[in-house]
Amino acid sequence: MHLLVTRPRKDAEALAQALQALGHDVTIDPLMSIEFHPETPLTRTGVQALLITSANGLRAMKSRTDFSEWLKLPLVAVGPTTAALARDAGFPDVFEAEGDVVSLVKLVQQRLEPDRGPLLHIAGTIVAGDLKGSLEADGFWVERAVLYEAKTAAGLSPKTVGGLRSGVIDGVLLYSKRSAETFVDLCRLAGLRDHLSGLNAYCLSANAALPLQNIGLRGIHVASAPNEADLLTLLDPASGPEK
């Protein structure tokens, strides 16, 4: 298949390599760009652990001048990709959830204690799910630190528009509800609503698939669990859907 990768540039390049190894052609067209804010004031006083809900949260931490001091804290990662990056960055004590906020909350409840200090959630300007509310309902104290911003693209690239219009691109990967919403909006802006009947969407979660229901796609496929390994299983020629 010829697949459209919509992730931010740094993530997209690694994903493209994995897809090409499976035999797919790839077009990269990020729907979002990431801007870090490493200067945001943070205090480590009394903090029990870090909560990291995306790879970009970890990258934002690594861009701080005081990053080495944060390595002393336990880190709870939303999923395998973020956990692997945290270990590579030098965190010795990493707890790994299953790829979504629900599993992250359960992991915190199992591994941490409400009375041992606040939890610091490293986040972007927009968050998915109510991590803070869910944990505070269980007695935890959660502080949210905004260290990065995801800015949506103004339009699809000419190569992407041409590939979708001609049917050369026959699959798109979408990792979040916001990226799916952006994809739908930019397809409408480019006048592509009548050119998507041959396109399959491969989504990290059911939430990411929601905005795609009424745009005339050939199919919408959702990973069995919200992590990249399960998403790639959908695209393995031995098991994934065919065009």
Side-chain angles (χ1 to χ4, degrees):
M1 287 188 289
H2 191 128
L3 298 169
L4 176 63
V5 171
T6 62
R7 302 216 71 195
R9 178 66 59 179
K10 192 172 185 67
D11 295 307
E13 290 171 352
L15 177 57
Q17 291 181 358
L19 294 171
Q20 288 164 346
L22 290 173
H24 301 293
D25 295 321
V26 176
T27 292
I28 294 176
D29 193 1
L31 297 181
M32 297 182 193
S33 59
I34 306 300
E35 182 178 296
F36 296 138
H37 300 296
E39 73 285 350
T40 301
L42 297 178
T43 178
R44 294 184 301 279
T45 304
V47 173
Q48 177 182 179
L50 294 175
L51 308 181
I52 307 287
T53 48
S54 75
N56 285 312
L58 184 61
R59 293 180 185 128
M61 285 298 293
K62 287 180 66 177
S63 70
R64 294 180 61 86
T65 57
D66 64 347
F67 172 66
S68 62
E69 293 299 315
W70 293 95
L71 294 173
K72 301 173 183 177
L73 292 176
L75 184 147
V76 187
V78 69
T81 300
T82 304
L85 289 172
R87 294 183 184 106
D88 289 344
F91 283 94
D93 195 3
V94 178
F95 303 124
E96 180 180 317
E98 298 174 5
D100 57 13
V101 169
V102 173
S103 64
L104 180 60
V105 168
K106 290 180 180 178
L107 185 59
V108 169
Q109 292 168 338
Q110 292 168 359
R111 296 284 188 168
L112 304 176
E113 298 292 339
D115 59 359
R116 291 187 179 176
L119 307 175
L120 185 62
H121 175 204
I122 305 302
T125 51
I126 296 176
V127 295
D130 187 11
L131 177 62
K132 180 179 175 70
S134 297
L135 288 173
E136 289 187 342
D138 201 43
F140 287 94
W141 172 14
V142 180
E143 294 285 349
R144 180 172 166 232
V146 176
L147 294 193
Y148 69 93
E149 179 179 4
K151 296 183 176 181
T152 56
L156 297 171
S157 71
K159 180 179 180 181
T160 298
V161 172
L164 291 172
R165 192 179 297 277
S166 66
V168 168
I169 295 174
D170 46 24
V172 58
L173 280 72
L174 296 162
Y175 276 56
S176 69
K177 184 178 181 183
R178 187 182 179 196
S179 64
E181 290 170 342
T182 300
F183 179 71
V184 171
D185 290 343
L186 296 185
C187 282
R188 287 173 177 157
L189 185 65
L192 293 170
R193 281 297 300 270
D194 296 328
H195 300 274
L196 302 178
S197 60
L199 187 70
N200 282 295
Y202 300 93
C203 303
L204 191 70
S205 67
N207 199 40
L210 285 175
L212 308 173
Q213 302 301 316
N214 299 307
I215 63 169
L217 297 175
R218 180 181 182 184
I220 301 172
H221 312 278
V222 179
S224 58
N227 61 71
E228 190 166 272
D230 284 271
L231 179 61
L232 291 179
T233 297
L234 297 176
L235 298 159
D236 190 323
S239 59
E242 297 181 356
K243 184 174 188 280

